[in-house]
């Protein structure tokens, strides 16, 4: 079925400024390429009941607006599997069905038009018997799979052999699964080897990256609430992406999924792997500050949270570094004596009292954003890096 996929209109970023990307083979998740030098995609997973089609589609729309490229939905029951065709038909981004235990849901997901299926061969009943049929169905439908292991679901034999979910054990498990698929001639899969500890996770992916050219899905599993999980994800993804390892990422947070997407997008932006969007440069403030920098920075950030234009705004507390930073940004304020000097592209355009700084910055930021839009510099809808065709409704 033809579906209207979103079109970001943004230039794709495939190369890392820090390190050449690891050479991986390419698979497709619907229209989104993963691996083979494709831009790194951001994934998330809905936390609605999949069978609640309206709520799931609403959440997918929010994730898409935040920059999500690929969405995964859990399929633990027959009702969830039955809902897939309606979700796939209306989702603006490719849908991956996440399936454990029941192989019949895998076939149903493929028939529903899912772009990929996440399947864990270790917990699919009688996988030896159904594995080849899954591969054939996926090949016939032209879809890909994601396989791999989480530390918590490591097979008992490997757990005993390696004494726990060590990097070697996780990699051995992933390679065993990969061989199951490759032995029947199926190669369109990516692999994840997730662990909750960032150091173990990094070591595991490094080890796996050396064993083959599979595209790799990065994840720190069960990373925790937003604050801890964000730090763990930044550390682990940052270390691996800075070495060129990783083709698609999913930040896992005990928080609304849209927060995962925001974190994932920002990690890529700050590593130079995705076009920059709104960014704020603000000083920490110190004894020289002549305005309340912390409040100003928060108010400007909140006031511009919906902006999609790639504007850089500087909020500086005094005249030491203030004018320099404010000049380098698209828009900035350098404060002193209860006033703020407002800079646009390096030129002072006005000086306003402290209580008008926020409103003045927001006014100019919105005007700059409108101009960028008129100049065609702003993506249509979201911040995703992958340009995909808009096809018939
Ligand atoms: S810009 Fe001024 S107020 Fe801000 S940290 Fe630097 S010296 Fe302190």
């Amino acid at each position: 079925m033809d579906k209207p996929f979103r079109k970001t209109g943004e230039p794709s970023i495939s190369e890392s400024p820090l390190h050449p990307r690891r050479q991986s083979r390419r698979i497709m998740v619907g229209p989104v390429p993963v691996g083979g030098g494709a831009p790194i995609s951001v994934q998330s997973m809905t936390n609605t009941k999949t069978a609640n089609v309206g709520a799931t589609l609403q959440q997918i729309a929010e994730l898409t607006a935040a920059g999500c490229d690929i969405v995964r939905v859990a399929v633990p029951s027959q009702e969830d599997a039955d809902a897939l065709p309606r979700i796939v038909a209306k989702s603006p981004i490719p849908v991956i069905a996440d399936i454990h235990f029941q192989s019949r849901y895998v076939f149903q997901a493929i028939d529903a038009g899912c772009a990929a299926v996440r399947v864990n061969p270790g917990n699919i009943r009688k996988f030896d018997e159904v594995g080849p049929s899954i591969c054939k169905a996926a090949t016939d439908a032209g879809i890909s799979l994601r396989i791999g292991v989480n530390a918590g679901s490591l097979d008992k034999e490997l757990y005993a052999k390696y004494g726990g979910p060590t990097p070697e054990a996780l990699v051995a498990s992933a390679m065993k699964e990969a061989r199951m698929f490759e032995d029947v001639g199926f190669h369109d899969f990516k692999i994840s080897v997730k662990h909750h500890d960032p150091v173990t996770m990094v070591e595991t992916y490094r080890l796996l990256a050396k064993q083959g050219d599979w595209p790799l899905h990065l994840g720190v599993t069960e990373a925790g609430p937003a604050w801890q999980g964000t730090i763990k994800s930044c550390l682990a993804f940052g270390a691996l992406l800075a070495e060129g390892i990783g083709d698609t990422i999913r930040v896992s947070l005990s928080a609304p999924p849209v927060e995962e997407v925001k974190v994932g997008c920002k990690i890529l932006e700050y590593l130079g792997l995705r076009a920059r969007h709104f960014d704020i440069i603000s000083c920490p403030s110190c004894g020289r500050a002549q305005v309340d920098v912390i409040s100003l920075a928060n108010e400007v950030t909140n006031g511009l949270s919906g902006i999609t234009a790639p504007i850089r705004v500087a909020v500086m507390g005094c005249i030491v570094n203030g004018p320099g930073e404010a000049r380098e940004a698209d828009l900035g304020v350098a404060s002193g004596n209860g006033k703020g000097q407002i800079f646009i592209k390096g030129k002072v355009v006005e000086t306003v009292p402290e209580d008008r700084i926020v409103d003045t910055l927001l006014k100019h930021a919105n005007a700059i954003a409108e101009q960028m839009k008129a100049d065609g510099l702003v993506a249509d809808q979201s911040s995703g890096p992958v340009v995909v065709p808009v096809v018939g409704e």
Side-chain angles (χ1 to χ4, degrees):
M1 177 192 290
D2 283 350
K3 298 185 300 296
F5 284 107
R6 77 192 160 88
K7 182 179 182 184
T8 70
E10 278 200 356
S12 304
I13 297 181
S14 298
E15 291 305 318
S16 164
L18 292 170
H19 195 282
R21 303 257 316 266
R22 165 182 166 264
Q23 305 251 317
S24 58
R25 67 183 180 231
R26 177 170 294 184
I27 63 166
M28 298 299 292
V29 177
V32 177
V34 174
I40 295 168
S41 45
V42 172
Q43 307 199 16
S44 186
M45 189 167 180
T46 52
N47 64 4
T48 53
K49 294 286 179 207
T50 302
N52 185 341
V53 174
T56 302
L57 283 170
Q58 174 61 33
Q59 198 169 65
I60 293 175
E62 288 163 17
L63 296 174
T64 306
C68 187
D69 299 298
I70 298 168
V71 67
R72 191 152 44 103
V73 300
V75 186
S77 74
Q78 187 60 55
E79 290 72 39
D80 299 314
D82 292 343
L84 290 174
R86 284 169 289 155
I87 293 170
V88 169
K90 294 231 168 111
S91 172
I93 53 175
V95 175
I96 301 181
D98 185 281
I99 296 169
H100 292 274
F101 312 121
Q102 296 281 2
S103 60
R104 70 173 195 277
Y105 298 160
V106 177
F107 296 106
Q108 236 187 298
I110 294 172
D111 287 344
C114 287
V117 178
R118 184 271 172 111
V119 57
N120 184 341
N123 67 21
I124 291 281
R125 290 179 196 126
K126 298 188 180 159
F127 187 81
D128 291 347
E129 288 170 30
V130 296
S133 318
I134 290 175
C135 293
K136 178 165 187 325
T139 303
D140 291 347
I143 72 154
S144 56
L145 302 177
R146 195 247 289 187
I147 62 169
V149 66
N150 283 7
S153 58
L154 180 65
D155 148 318
K156 282 192 193 101
E157 263 177 43
L158 290 170
Y159 192 101
K161 179 174 173 190
Y162 290 93
T166 61
E168 291 75 15
L170 293 167
V171 169
S173 169
M175 290 182 63
K176 188 172 144 194
E177 289 184 6
R179 272 195 296 274
M180 283 180 186
F181 288 93
E182 289 171 341
D183 284 351
V184 291
F186 188 80
H187 299 273
D188 287 338
F189 60 87
K190 58 192 163 78
I191 304 185
S192 62
V193 277
K194 299 185 177 185
H195 197 285
H196 61 84
D197 173 61
V199 172
T200 310
M201 180 275 201
V202 169
E203 288 174 341
T204 308
Y205 275 96
R206 275 182 182 160
L207 195 58
L208 181 63
K210 288 187 197 138
Q211 312 296 323
D213 68 348
W214 312 285
L216 299 181
H217 165 119
L218 302 187
V220 177
T221 192
E222 292 118 25
W227 189 68
Q228 292 95 321
T230 297
I231 294 170
K232 288 182 195 173
S233 301
C234 291
L235 288 171
F237 294 3
L240 290 166
L241 293 170
E243 294 172 16
I245 298 172
D247 299 293
T248 183
I249 61 171
R250 191 259 169 124
V251 173
S252 298
L253 301 178
S254 304
V258 76
E259 298 304 316
E260 300 183 346
V261 173
K262 287 185 194 166
V263 172
C265 290
K266 278 294 171 198
I267 290 173
L268 295 183
E269 283 183 37
Y270 290 136
L271 283 169
L273 287 162
R274 183 170 275 213
R276 285 271 179 115
H277 282 250
F278 164 66
D279 196 17
I280 189 149
I281 296 154
S282 58
C283 79
S285 88
C286 69
R288 287 188 204 90
Q290 294 176 359
V291 292
D292 181 354
V293 177
I294 297 172
S295 299
L296 268 185
N298 283 326
E299 284 173 44
V300 172
T301 302
N302 292 337
L304 295 178
S305 63
I307 217 153
T308 51
I311 299 178
R312 185 172 291 180
V313 181
V315 176
M316 306 296 288
C318 78
I319 54 165
V320 174
N321 295 318
E325 288 286 1
R327 266 190 222 111
E328 293 302 313
D330 296 301
L331 171 65
V333 60
S335 311
N337 292 331
K339 291 181 191 157
Q341 266 190 329
I342 309 290
F343 290 77
I344 294 181
K345 297 276 181 200
K347 292 205 176 78
V348 178
V349 292
E350 60 183 308
T351 301
V352 297
E354 183 174 350
D355 62 359
R356 285 193 44 227
I357 290 175
V358 173
D359 286 349
T360 308
L361 284 175
L362 297 184
K363 175 190 80 180
H364 286 300
N366 284 312
I368 293 170
E370 283 306 313
Q371 187 57 49
M372 285 178 160
K373 236 182 231 171
D375 294 342
L377 299 173
V378 183
D380 287 347
Q381 290 175 36
S382 82
S383 59
V386 180
V387 179
V388 293
V390 176
V391 291
E393 296 283 333

